C-alpha cells in the first residue's frame, strides 16, 4: 500500500528517496513521485507504474536538493494516473505526501474551492495540501499549520509536508497509519516503514497516535495529540539491512517459501524449552491471565484470518476453550456480545492492518479479559497496543502473498494453544512433551516438502491455461484449503475457491468437469475415510484430482488422479507442512503465466485503509 519517504540533509537526498521507494515497493502501489525543494521552486516528478519508471522519467538530470519527499501510491480516491500521484503541490509552495484516507474531505474540498483553490486530481490528499497551505498563510509556520489542520481531520493519515519558503524543516504527522523518523548525523529521514531507511540508519523514533513533528537537520521536535511537547524514545532496529534482498532467488516469494525451515525454528526458539512451553515468554502477566480465560475471540484479515481458523480447531480440541474467529472488517462493525473472561487475539504479519487495528482498539474498550497480539513486526502498533504478545520470527516478508508469515503464525498459535491448555490443567506432561517434540521436527518436515519442488513444477504446467480451481480439505485442513486457494488467486489470477470437502455436494460439485482441477489436502487423519468418499464424488463427474497425501493414506495415481506423496507429518504440525506444497504450486503456476509474482496487480502488502 502507499509508502512515504522523506529526507533533510546537507547532501542531495534524491538517491536516498529513490532507494527508500525501492525498499517500499513490496507494499504494492501503482504510481510513484518525488518532490525536491529548490531555492526557487519545488521540483516534482511523478508517473504511473514502477519506481524504475520514475527513475527513467527523471533521466540524466534528476531533480536534486537537500530536502525532499517521495511516495508510492496505491489508488483509493481516483484512478492510478499521474495527476493523482503524490506529492501534491499547493500554490507552487507546499508539497505533501499522504497515506490513509481523509473521510470528511468532500466538505473541506467544497470550502476550499469556494475560496478559489483549484483541484487537478480526484484525491483527498490534494484537499489536504490546500488546507495546509491555507493554514500556512494564516500561521506563517509549517509545523503550526500542519498541527492545526490534522487535529480537525476525520480519518487515518500519515503525512510528510515541505514548504518551499521554509527550507530548514519537514513536518510529519500520524494517526491510524505508521510513520517513523530515522536519526542520522546532521541529517534526518522519515518513512512509513523502517525498511525504507535501513540503507541510511538503524536508529528510529516511532511516532505515536496524534503526534506531529518538525524534523530539521539537527533535531526533532514532537507535539502530542493535545499539542504538548513530548519526547519519544529512540529505538535501534534489529532488522538486517540485507534481509530485504532476494539472495539469489528469482522472486521474494520463492525465497520466503524456502526460508520456512529456518523461520519456523526461529519462532519456536525462546517459546519452548527441550520439552515444555515457556508461558512467561508471552509477557509478565501471561501466567496470571491465562488460567482465567474461558473463551477466545480471534480477529484478523486475509492469510492471518486463515491462521486463526486453523487455531480454532487446536484451541477447542487441545485447550477445551470455545473459540470464535472473525474477519476484522466484519467484526468491527457488528455489535459483538463479549462473553465473560474472553481473551481477544489479533493475528497480523504487519501489525498495522487498519481493520485489525481498529478491531483491537474497539476490543480494548469492550470488556475483554485481555488482548494478545500475534505479530511479525516488533515495532508495530499492534505489539504496542496489546497486553500480551507472541512474536513470529519470519523476518521481513516482501512478497505481497504471505507465505512464511502464515506458517510462523501457525507455530505461534500452536504454542499459544499449548500454553492455554497447560494453564487450565488440560495438558499432561506427556502430551506437552510430544507436542514440543513435533514442533522441533517441523523444520525437517518442511525441508522434505521443499524437495518435491520439481514434482510441483510439473503439476503447475497443467494449471497454466485453467480459469478455475477448487481446493478441498476437512477438519483442520479446511482452512489450509482456503489458504491454498487464496495463494493461487492472488498471484496467478486463476479463480480459485477453498471448500470444506463435506460441503462439495451442496454447491461446488455443479462446477466440476474435466476442465476443473480439484486439489485435495489429505493427511492420514481421522477424517481420511470421509474425504475419500468426497473425492469419489469428484471423480464420478470427470474432475481432475490432485491429491496431496501421506504415503500411508492409501491413494494411488490413476487416470484423472495425481497423487503427490507427502513426507510423513505428525498430526499437530501437518497443517503447517501441507501448506508448503500449495505455496510452491501457486508460485510455479504464476511464474508460468508470467504474472508479477511479488507484487500482484491491485494488491498491497500492508493494508492501511479500510
Ligand atoms: C494484505 C496482504 C495479505 C495479508 C493481509 C493481512 O491483504 O496482501 O498477505 O494476509 O493483508 O495482513 P496482516 O499484516 O494483518 O497479516
Amino acid at each position: 500500500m502507499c509508502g512515504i519517504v522523506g529526507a533533510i540533509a546537507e547532501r542531495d537526498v534524491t538517491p536516498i528517496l529513490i532507494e527508500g521507494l525501492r525498499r517500499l515497493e513490496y507494499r504494492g502501489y501503482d504510481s510513484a513521485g518525488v518532490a525536491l525543494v529548490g531555492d526557487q521552486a519545488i521540483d516534482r516528478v511523478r508517473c504511473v507504474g514502477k519506481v524504475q519508471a520514475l527513475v527513467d522519467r527523471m533521466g540524466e538530470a534528476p531533480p536534486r536538493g537537500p530536502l525532499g519527499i517521495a511516495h508510492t501510491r496505491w489508488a483509493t480516491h481516483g484512478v492510478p494516473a499521474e495527476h493523482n500521484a503524490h506529492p501534491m503541490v499547493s500554490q507552487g509552495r507546499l508539497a505533501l505526501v499522504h497515506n490513509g484516507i481523509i473521510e470528511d474531505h468532500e466538505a473541506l474540498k467544497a470550502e476550499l474551492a469556494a475560496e478559489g483553490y483549484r483541484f487537478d486530481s480526484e484525491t483527498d490528499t490534494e484537499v489536504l495540501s490546500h488546507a495546509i497551505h491555507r493554514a500556512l498563510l494564516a500561521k506563517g509556520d509549517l509545523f503550526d499549520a500542519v498541527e492545526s489542520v490534522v487535529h480537525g481531520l476525520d480519518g487515518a493519515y500519515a503525512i510528510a509536508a515541505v514548504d518551499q519558503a521554509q527550507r530548514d524543516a519537514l513536518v510529519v504527522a500520524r494517526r491510524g497509519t505508521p510513520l517513523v523518523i530515522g536519526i542520522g548525523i546532521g541529517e534526518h529521514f522519515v518513512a512509513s516503514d523502517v525498511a525504507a531507511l535501513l540503507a541510511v540508519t538503524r536508529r528510529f523514533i516511532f511516532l505515536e497516535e496524534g503526534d506531529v513533528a518538525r524534523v530539521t537537520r539537527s533535531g526533532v521536535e514532537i507535539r502530542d495529540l493535545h499539542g504538548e511537547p513530548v519526547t519519544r524514545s529512540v529505538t535501534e532496529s534489529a532488522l538486517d539491512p540485507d534481509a530485504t534482498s532476494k539472495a539469489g532467488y528469482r522472486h521474494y516469494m520463492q525465497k520466503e517459501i524456502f526460508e520456512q525451515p529456518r523461520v519456523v525454528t526461529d519462532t519456536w526458539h525462546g517459546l519452548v524449552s527441550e520439552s515444555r512451553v515457556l508461558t512467561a515468554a508471552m509477557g509478565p502477566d501471561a501466567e496470571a491471565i491465562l488460567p482465567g480465560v474461558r473463551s477466545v475471540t480471534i480477529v484478523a484479515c486475509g492469510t492471518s484470518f486463515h491462521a486463526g481458523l486453523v487455531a480454532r480447531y487446536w484451541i477447542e480440541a487441545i485447550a477445551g476453550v470455545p473459540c470464535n474467529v472473525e474477519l476484522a472488517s466484519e467484526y468491527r462493525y457488528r455489535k459483538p456480545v463479549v462473553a465473560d473472561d474472553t481473551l481477544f487475539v489479533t493475528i497480523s504479519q504487519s501489525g498495522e492492518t487498519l481493520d485489525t487495528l481498529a478491531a483491537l482498539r474497539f476490543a480494548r474498550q469492550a470488556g475483554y479479559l485481555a488482548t494478545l497480539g500475534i505479530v511479525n513486526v516488533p515495532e508495530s502498533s499492534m505489539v504496542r497496543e496489546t497486553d500480551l504478545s507472541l512474536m513470529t520470527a519470519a523476518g521481513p516478508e516482501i512478497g505481497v502473498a504471505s507465505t512464511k508469515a502464515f506458517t510462523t503464525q501457525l507455530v505461534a498459535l500452536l504454542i499459544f494453544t499449548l500454553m492455554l491448555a497447560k494453564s487450565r490443567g488440560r495438558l499432561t506432561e506427556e502430551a506437552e512433551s510430544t507436542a514440543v517434540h513435533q514442533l522441533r521436527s517441523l523444520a525437517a518436515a518442511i525441508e522434505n516438502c521443499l524437495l518435491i519442488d520439481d514434482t510441483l513444477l510439473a503439476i503447475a504446467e497443467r494449471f497454466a491455461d485453467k480459469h478455475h480451481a477448487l481446493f478441498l480439505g476437512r477438519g483442520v485442513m479446511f482452512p489450509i484449503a482456503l489458504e491454498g486457494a487464496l495463494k493461487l488467486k492472488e498471484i496467478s489470477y486463476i479463480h480459485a475457491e477453498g471448500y470444506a470437502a463435506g460441503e462439495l455436494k451442496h454447491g461446488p460439485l455443479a462446477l466440476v468437469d474435466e476442465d476443473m482441477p480439484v486439489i485435495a489436502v489429505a493427511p492420514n487423519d481421522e477424517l481420511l475415510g470421509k474425504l475419500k468418499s468426497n473425492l469419489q464424488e469428484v471423480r464420478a463427474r470427470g474432475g481432475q484430482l490432485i491429491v496431496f497425501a501421506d504415503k500411508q493414506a492409501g491413494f494411488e495415481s490413476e487416470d484423472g488422479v495425481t497423487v503427490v506423496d507427502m513426507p510423513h507429518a505428525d498430526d499437530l504440525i501437518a497443517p503447517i507442512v501441507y501448506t508448503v506444497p500449495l505455496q510452491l504450486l501457486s508460485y510455479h503456476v504464476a511464474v508460468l503465466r508470467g504474472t508479477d509474482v511479488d507484487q500482484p496487480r491491485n494488491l498491497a502488502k500492508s493494508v492501511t485503509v479500510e
Side-chain angles (χ1 to χ4, degrees):
M1 198 144 275
C2 302
I4 289 176
V5 192
I8 180 162
E10 296 292 348
R11 53 178 163 157
D12 171 30
V13 297
T14 307
I16 297 171
L17 300 179
I18 296 298
E19 173 63 17
L21 290 186
R22 286 196 198 284
R23 286 171 178 256
L24 292 177
E25 284 196 292
Y26 75 94
R27 294 167 66 100
Y29 66 102
D30 37 51
S31 54
V34 57
L36 277 297
V37 182
D39 292 343
Q40 307 299 328
I42 288 177
D43 200 351
R44 173 176 66 168
V45 184
R46 300 179 292 173
C47 74
V48 173
K50 299 288 180 193
V51 174
Q52 188 53 44
L54 183 71
V55 172
D56 294 344
R57 172 72 65 89
M58 294 194 300
E60 308 254 297
R64 293 171 55 82
L67 171 61
I69 52 177
H71 193 257
T72 45
R73 172 175 186 258
W74 186 80
T76 54
H77 292 97
V79 294
E82 186 171 329
H83 69 276
N84 285 330
H86 305 197
M88 290 293 158
V89 175
S90 179
Q91 313 306 107
R93 172 174 177 185
L94 183 281
L96 178 77
V97 290
H98 162 225
N99 289 357
I101 289 178
I102 305 303
E103 306 218 327
D104 51 1
H105 76 280
E106 290 299 345
L108 190 54
K109 184 173 183 174
E111 195 182 305
L112 289 159
E115 290 176 28
Y117 282 98
R118 249 194 55 202
F119 291 87
D120 299 322
S121 78
E122 293 94 58
T123 65
D124 49 350
T125 307
E126 189 178 26
V127 179
L128 193 52
S129 73
H130 289 328
I132 294 173
H133 176 266
R134 180 176 65 175
L136 189 55
L137 295 182
K139 306 239 171 218
D141 175 66
L142 185 61
F143 193 16
D144 294 337
V146 169
E147 189 179 33
S148 68
V149 171
V150 294
H151 286 167
L153 294 176
D154 199 4
Y157 58 79
I159 63 168
V162 288
D163 174 13
Q164 199 278 325
Q166 230 182 309
R167 291 186 296 283
D168 60 349
L170 64 82
V171 172
V172 291
R174 74 151 278 185
R175 190 175 75 204
T177 77
L179 199 105
V180 299
I181 299 173
I183 311 290
I185 299 170
E187 54 188 13
H188 283 101
F189 318 97
V190 301
S192 47
D193 181 331
V194 291
L197 300 177
L198 286 176
V200 282
T201 185
R202 309 294 300 278
R203 299 175 67 227
F204 295 97
I205 293 173
F206 293 88
L207 289 186
E208 296 193 5
E209 286 297 275
D211 281 356
V212 183
R214 185 206 307 271
V215 181
T216 63
R217 289 177 184 83
S218 56
V220 177
E221 183 188 347
I222 306 173
R223 289 187 211 140
D224 68 11
L225 77 174
H226 307 295
E228 297 296 327
V230 280
T231 309
R232 304 282 180 221
S233 55
V234 176
T235 309
E236 188 95 18
S237 174
L239 278 180
D240 172 0
D242 295 329
T244 50
S245 81
K246 285 190 198 148
Y249 286 93
R250 186 166 168 197
H251 296 98
Y252 284 111
M253 181 182 179
Q254 186 188 28
K255 173 189 165 219
E256 287 159 4
I257 293 171
F258 277 83
E259 278 175 341
Q260 290 177 109
R262 179 172 57 79
V263 295
V264 295
T265 304
D266 290 349
T267 298
W268 60 247
H269 206 88
L271 300 179
V272 301
S273 68
E274 202 51 45
S275 57
R276 301 280 163 252
V277 290
L278 304 171
T279 306
M282 228 177 359
D285 300 331
E287 279 166 331
I289 291 171
L290 288 195
V293 173
R294 286 202 281 156
S295 76
V296 173
T297 292
I298 300 178
V299 172
C301 300
T303 290
S304 298
F305 170 70
H306 291 160
L309 291 177
V310 173
R312 174 166 60 191
Y313 289 87
W314 287 334
I315 290 169
E316 298 204 331
I318 301 171
V321 173
C323 177
N324 279 318
V325 189
E326 299 222 32
L327 290 165
S329 53
E330 288 299 314
Y331 171 84
R332 58 184 288 212
Y333 291 112
R334 290 202 297 112
K335 302 264 176 296
V337 176
V338 181
D340 288 347
D341 302 320
T342 300
L343 179 69
F344 185 87
V345 180
T346 53
I347 308 170
S348 176
Q349 186 284 126
S350 61
E352 301 292 351
T353 301
L354 189 82
D355 280 321
T356 312
L357 207 47
L360 170 64
R361 287 172 182 158
F362 165 82
R364 288 175 64 193
Q365 317 296 324
Y368 283 93
L369 177 67
T371 55
L372 162 67
I374 294 181
V375 184
N376 191 43
V377 179
E379 299 93 353
S380 62
S381 306
M382 230 170 272
V383 176
R384 287 199 297 274
E385 296 183 28
T386 42
D387 303 315
L388 305 172
S389 45
L390 269 181
M391 300 311 302
T392 52
E397 189 181 63
I398 308 291
V400 164
S402 187
T403 52
K404 61 177 182 169
F406 179 67
T407 46
T408 54
Q409 283 167 349
L410 292 181
V411 168
L413 284 160
L414 180 54
I415 294 172
F416 161 68
T417 305
L418 298 170
M419 291 170 172
L420 184 61
K422 188 174 181 178
S423 73
R424 293 170 45 82
R426 294 261 312 191
L427 194 66
T428 63
E429 286 202 355
E430 194 192 344
E432 183 179 7
S433 151
T434 304
V436 172
H437 178 77
Q438 288 196 24
L439 272 171
R440 287 177 165 273
S441 70
L442 177 59
I446 294 178
E447 291 282 8
N448 287 334
C449 277
L450 296 173
L451 294 176
I452 61 171
D453 193 30
D454 286 347
T455 310
L456 299 168
L457 173 58
I459 293 175
E461 280 161 8
R462 290 162 40 190
F463 276 74
D465 60 345
K466 299 291 185 223
H467 299 292
H468 307 277
L470 194 57
F471 287 71
L472 300 177
R474 290 198 73 128
V476 72
M477 289 296 166
F478 165 41
I480 300 304
L482 291 175
E483 175 60 12
L486 178 63
K487 278 306 77 106
L488 188 69
K489 80 178 90 156
E490 278 179 311
I491 59 170
S492 75
Y493 315 151
I494 292 175
H495 167 235
E497 281 193 69
Y499 247 89
E503 232 355 66
L504 191 62
K505 52 189 159 310
H506 299 296
L509 202 51
L511 299 173
V512 170
D513 61 16
E514 53 287 351
D515 241 4
M516 170 78 116
V518 178
I519 298 96
V521 208
N524 193 10
D525 63 14
E526 78 273 9
L527 289 171
L528 182 66
K530 305 258 179 238
L531 179 69
K532 281 185 170 173
S533 313
N534 301 142
L535 298 187
Q536 285 307 324
E537 297 161 9
V538 174
R539 275 307 298 134
R541 273 92 191 162
Q544 299 297 302
L545 268 175
I546 294 152
V547 187
F548 288 87
D550 190 295
K551 283 200 185 73
Q552 313 301 319
F555 283 99
E556 297 286 342
S557 287
E558 55 179 281
D559 189 27
V561 182
T562 304
V563 178
V564 181
D565 278 340
M566 287 287 291
H568 174 72
D570 292 323
D571 57 340
L572 285 177
I573 58 169
I576 311 176
V577 176
Y578 276 71
T579 299
V580 177
L582 301 185
Q583 297 168 340
L584 283 169
L585 179 66
S586 296
Y587 172 74
H588 288 307
V589 174
V591 172
L592 289 167
R593 286 167 67 94
T595 58
D596 189 342
V597 172
D598 286 329
Q599 292 167 38
R601 68 183 182 201
N602 306 341
L603 298 182
K605 182 72 186 159
S606 185
V607 179
T608 47
V609 295
E610 276 194 49

